[in-house]
Structures are given as C-alpha cells and as structure tokens.
Amino acid sequence: MERRDFIKKSATAASIAGLGITAANAITNPLEDSPNPKRFNMKFAPHFGMFKNHAGEDLIDQINFMADQGFTAFEDNNMMKRTIEVQTKIGEALAKRNMTMGVFVIQKGGNLKNTLAAGKQEFIDIFLDGCRKSIEVAKRVNAKWLTVVPGAFQRRLPIGIQDANVIEALRRGADILEPHGLTMVLEPLSDSPDLYLQRSDQTYMICKAVNSPACKILFDIYHLQKTEGHIIRNIDLTWDEIAYFQIGDNPGRKEPTTGEINYKNIFKHIQNKGYEGVLGMEHGNSQNGKDGELAVIKAYKDTSNF
C-alpha cells in the first residue's frame, strides 16, 4: 500500500471511530448492495430525504440505501401526491428489496381542514373520496396502513356530538377500505390545541366505537409524550387497538437518544408484547450532512440492541 493511500484510509477509519461505528458497520459505498447486510430486528421505516447526502436525490437510490443499511420498512406521508409512475417504481423497488411499506396519508385537505367533527356532508365527502382514491395507490406500493387525522376541534359543538360525527364518518370510511384489507390508523397529534384528536384514550374510544379492523390507532410516541406522557402505560392500556407506531424524540422531534424518551426500553417493551409491525421514523436528523445520517443509523442500532 502506498503511503498516501494508508494515510487516507487511516483518516477515514478515525472519522468512523469518532462516530462510534466500527469498520464492519461503516458505510463505504452506500449505493452498492452489502453482501450480508445486518437487518434491524424491528421494522423501522425511514422517510425520503433522511439519507439523501449518502444516497442522492433519486428516490429509488434512497430506498436501496435504506435496505443496504438493514432497514426492512419504509413510509411516505406524501405517496398520494406522487405520480402513478413514481408510485409504481417505489412499489417495485420495495418488493425487490423485501421491504414493508408503511403508512401514507389519506388526503383530505390538511390536518386542521375539512374536519369530520363538524358533521358537514361536504367534509365527509372529501374524506370518503380520499379513501376511495387511496385504494389504487395502496395496491401500487403494497401498503396496508393509511394515516387519518380527523381535523379541527369545533368549539361551538359539544364534545359528544363531535365524537359521534367523527365515529360515523370513520365507519363509512372503514366500509370502503375494509374489503380491500386496508386499515386507517388514526393519529392523535400535539401540533395545535385546535386539533380534535390529541390523546390515546380518546383514540381508543373512537376505534372501539367504529368497531372495524379497518380503523385502528397510530401511536406516535413523540406526539403522545408531549400530550400525555406515561408512554409504556398508555401503550398497554390501548394495546388491542394499536396497529402502527411512529417515532421521534422530545424535545426537537429528532432521532432516538437526542431527547428525554427512553426508546430502548420502549422498543424492548413493544417487542416483548409481540409487536411485529412497522415503526415509522417520522422525525428529522439532529445533525446535518453525512455525519448526521450516520448518527441516525447508529441511534437505531443502539436503541434496538437488546
């Protein structure tokens, strides 16, 4: 080996060691398939853009990079906004790499718009149209779970009336989706006090009332840590209606280990309960560039190492 090559390789090794990543796990050529990739023991699902500094802007290259690093699932909130051609290519890439498609969002106009709590027929029609359109999208990418946010809280209506309006609308949505084996996952959010759906017990009640395998809970750990805390206890209380998890540490909504949530304990608890579904990585990277992307991978390796 020539001296300059030795120096270059030594510098690379030192950089990797500084991130706490061994040479065996280092990313040397992110766009080539690893011969024996070490797959995560849980179905963590990255988003587009999370590893673009390594994989580039091409969406299929990003999926391949995720698979090369051991990720076995993927999610994309904006799937319904993509062209049929792009959806088809994404579905083919996921199938080729044996990756599970996670959630995409049923388009109904935004988290606070066209609220189902209002009971207005025009809003219900927009939601049901989104359910119908989602079916073909789900087929192209082999999706099973579709995110639904009911919309804004209605201050001029009693809460019981709002609950009834939401339940009735969701029952109609479930009637559309259930024959196709699709499941709406309702996501309580912490983004605004004007949102109707904010707590896990509230979401549990609604799912029980809808009473359909096509309507379950999306337990977003970041949002519910902000809103109510007691994450493990509330997972246990609502367990039989949970179909999907999403991840983000608090504060900051970045990768695990950057905030106050003990994700290693939570992941272990979820796995011990027998969960085999997807855990969406719905968060940003705490650091910029390639180093930040490597830090995300390391965070998931560390918190799932049990």
Side-chain angles (χ1 to χ4, degrees):
M1 181 184 298
E2 293 185 7
R3 184 174 182 275
R4 62 183 179 183
D5 292 335
F6 175 80
I7 292 172
K8 182 178 180 181
K9 290 185 177 182
S10 297
T12 301
S15 176
I16 291 168
L19 286 169
I21 300 173
T22 65
N25 293 326
I27 301 167
T28 55
N29 190 343
L31 300 185
E32 287 185 1
D33 290 353
S34 301
N36 295 295
K38 185 177 180 181
R39 294 158 72 88
F40 286 96
N41 62 2
M42 302 183 81
K43 292 181 181 177
F44 299 125
H47 283 247
F48 284 133
M50 189 166 279
F51 303 115
K52 66 180 181 180
N53 289 289
H54 277 96
E57 296 290 342
D58 183 82
L59 301 185
I60 305 306
D61 286 344
Q62 291 186 39
I63 289 173
N64 285 326
F65 177 84
M66 297 169 193
D68 291 345
Q69 307 318 309
F71 292 104
T72 59
F74 163 80
E75 68 177 23
D76 178 30
N77 288 339
N78 295 315
M79 188 66 75
M80 286 191 73
K81 297 179 180 180
R82 303 191 188 281
T83 66
I84 292 175
E85 179 184 10
V86 171
Q87 292 168 3
T88 301
K89 288 182 178 179
I90 290 171
E92 291 171 348
L94 294 175
K96 181 178 180 181
R97 299 309 303 266
N98 194 28
M99 296 178 74
T100 301
M101 178 66 205
V103 292
F104 65 81
V105 175
I106 291 181
Q107 298 299 312
K108 56 172 279 297
N111 288 346
L112 287 166
K113 294 182 179 179
N114 302 319
T115 178
L116 303 181
K120 293 183 179 180
Q121 190 61 48
E122 61 186 291
F123 297 164
I124 296 171
D125 289 343
I126 290 169
F127 165 63
L128 297 179
D129 183 59
C131 290
R132 295 186 189 96
K133 289 179 178 177
S134 71
I135 294 169
E136 292 304 313
V137 178
K139 289 179 181 178
R140 294 183 195 111
V141 298
N142 196 28
K144 302 297 181 185
W145 305 277
L146 316 172
T147 304
V148 170
V149 177
F153 183 82
Q154 300 297 286
R155 299 187 183 281
R156 296 185 179 182
L157 288 178
I159 187 61
I161 301 300
Q162 294 185 64
D163 291 341
N165 289 340
V166 170
I167 290 164
E168 178 59 26
L170 293 174
R171 283 176 177 169
R172 295 178 64 183
D175 287 343
I176 293 170
L177 298 173
E178 186 175 341
H180 299 275
L182 300 176
T183 301
M184 296 179 290
V185 284
L186 309 183
E187 183 176 14
L189 299 175
S190 63
D191 296 327
S192 168
D194 293 324
L195 285 158
Y196 163 80
L197 192 64
Q198 298 191 38
R199 299 181 61 86
S200 61
D201 61 330
Q202 176 194 16
T203 315
Y204 184 81
M205 177 273 295
I206 291 168
C207 289
K208 287 296 184 185
V210 174
N211 191 29
S212 168
C215 184
K216 296 294 179 181
I217 296 172
L218 191 172
F219 198 105
D220 188 307
I221 297 168
Y222 162 76
H223 285 296
L224 291 172
Q225 169 69 5
K226 289 176 64 181
T227 302
E228 60 190 22
H230 301 289
I231 294 298
I232 287 177
R233 178 177 184 269
N234 288 328
I235 286 173
D236 288 344
L237 287 174
T238 62
W239 181 254
D240 59 310
E241 294 293 337
I242 296 173
Y244 201 96
F245 286 94
Q246 284 184 325
I247 301 161
D249 215 337
N250 181 58
R253 200 173 187 177
K254 307 299 182 184
E255 70 268 17
T257 73
T258 58
E260 66 188 0
I261 303 175
N262 190 333
Y263 266 106
K264 190 166 188 174
N265 279 357
I266 292 171
F267 290 156
K268 186 176 182 179
H269 185 76
I270 291 170
Q271 189 176 72
N272 286 343
K273 289 179 75 69
Y275 183 74
E276 297 180 349
V278 175
L279 301 98
M281 296 160 56
E282 196 182 38
H283 58 73
N285 297 0
S286 63
Q287 303 175 46
N288 296 325
K290 289 186 176 182
D291 286 353
E293 295 173 359
L294 292 175
V296 170
I297 296 169
K298 183 178 185 298
Y300 279 93
K301 289 183 181 296
D302 290 347
T303 52
S304 62
N305 181 24
F306 47 79

